[in-house]
Amino acid sequence: MEEIPESGGHIAPELIADLAAASRILAAQGVVDAFGHVSMRHPSAPDRYLMARSIAPALVTPDDIIEYDLDSRPCNANRRGSFLERFIHGEIYRVRPDITSIVHSHSASVIPFGLVGVTMRAMFHNAAFIAAGVPVFDIRDKFGATDMLIRDGEKGLALAEAMGSNDIVLMRAHGSVACGPTLQTAVFRAVYTEVNARIQHWTTALGGDADMAALDSAEGELADAVNQTAGMRAWDLWRTQVRSQVSW
Ligand SMILES: [Zn+2]
């Protein structure tokens, strides 16, 4: 039998509820559908993280949350199934101590930017963090023909390395990952990455080859700082909407 790692310790039920709510928020905002996931680093054990069992994000409840070590081995699965692609989370947490929350999605507007040589740029202030750069990970470069999934630690590490010091990475013909220093910021960034992609498609359709007056990196840094505080109004709205449907 495979060894079961020890838990990192007690977590406040409100935090577990917020993580469960984050799944439902991402589904309601069109970032995830039947697939995709959000995780949160353990608040007192940096070598542990929390993520729902393998289930559609809109259905997640606090009882679905499983704790993992950074090898993405469950501490308390109790026969609950794990997401195949949990290694995305474990490996990014391992190499990026500044990141506390990660969203992985296959949202449709973002995928084209991983398929053609057009760089995603920050179209408006809500997506400011994109101005720091958007690398594209191509699983084929290192692993040849695959089923495209990040289904082990080696692939997770390669993805984390492609992301580097950015807080976003696109995955060719698959999806994207958005991260943040808090759960709320990661959710905000994932939502506005999808919106930003739509705006860039419209801008391209409107302007053709004209210059795109996107945020530059200095503007991106300034606006992202605002998003991490004032932008939390969005979280309050979305969290309230989830609370109107469930008792947690
Ligand atoms: Zn995926």
Side-chain angles (χ1 to χ4, degrees):
M1 269 204 23
E2 204 186 328
E3 186 199 340
I4 295 172
E6 261 183 55
S7 166
H10 177 75
I11 301 158
E14 308 85 71
L15 293 182
I16 300 274
D18 278 350
L19 177 58
S23 280
R24 291 177 178 239
I25 288 166
L26 290 164
Q29 297 300 315
V31 177
V32 296
D33 46 19
F35 306 98
H37 20 85
V38 53
S39 70
M40 180 175 79
R41 198 189 288 272
H42 191 299
S44 53
D47 57 352
R48 296 285 184 274
Y49 72 94
L50 304 149
M51 189 163 76
R53 70 183 170 96
S54 182
I55 183 177
L59 304 177
V60 172
T61 73
D63 289 341
D64 296 313
I65 302 299
I66 298 176
E67 181 180 341
Y68 294 91
D69 71 1
L70 297 188
D71 292 328
S72 297
R73 299 177 303 170
C75 306
N76 58 349
N78 299 326
R79 290 186 293 279
R80 294 174 294 176
S82 293
F83 284 116
L84 284 176
E85 293 199 286
R86 61 191 182 280
F87 302 94
I88 293 170
H89 304 256
E91 299 305 318
I92 290 176
Y93 287 129
R94 196 196 306 277
V95 300
R96 287 287 303 275
D98 57 314
I99 285 174
T100 295
S101 181
I102 298 168
V103 175
H104 168 54
S105 71
H106 311 146
S107 71
S109 311
V110 176
I111 289 174
F113 293 93
L115 297 173
V116 296
V118 174
T119 303
M120 187 186 283
R121 298 178 62 194
M123 295 288 108
F124 72 140
H125 58 99
N126 282 0
F129 85 113
I130 285 172
V134 183
V136 177
F137 172 71
D138 187 349
I139 195 168
R140 187 166 53 190
D141 288 346
K142 188 164 181 196
F143 301 99
T146 65
D147 60 11
M148 310 305 284
L149 301 181
I150 305 293
R151 52 169 65 250
D152 58 44
E154 202 187 349
K155 295 187 177 75
L157 179 61
L159 175 68
E161 283 172 347
M163 188 171 84
S165 60
N166 291 101
D167 287 343
I168 181 170
V169 61
L170 309 189
M171 304 150 82
R172 179 186 65 84
H174 179 169
S176 58
V177 173
C179 309
T182 65
L183 173 67
Q184 289 76 11
T185 294
V187 168
F188 185 95
R189 287 174 169 178
V191 168
Y192 285 106
T193 294
E194 166 58 25
V195 176
N196 189 78
R198 274 178 254 155
I199 295 175
Q200 189 163 343
H201 294 309
W202 298 330
T203 306
T204 304
L206 184 69
D209 292 333
D211 276 350
M212 224 178 252
L215 272 75
D216 66 25
S217 60
E219 290 171 329
E221 219 169 290
L222 292 167
D224 184 57
V226 176
N227 293 341
Q228 291 190 42
T229 52
M232 290 308 103
R233 186 189 307 167
W235 171 266
D236 292 340
L237 167 65
W238 299 330
R239 185 68 180 91
T240 301
Q241 288 168 335
V242 172
R243 251 192 214 105
S244 72
Q245 297 160 0
V246 295
S247 60
W248 38 270

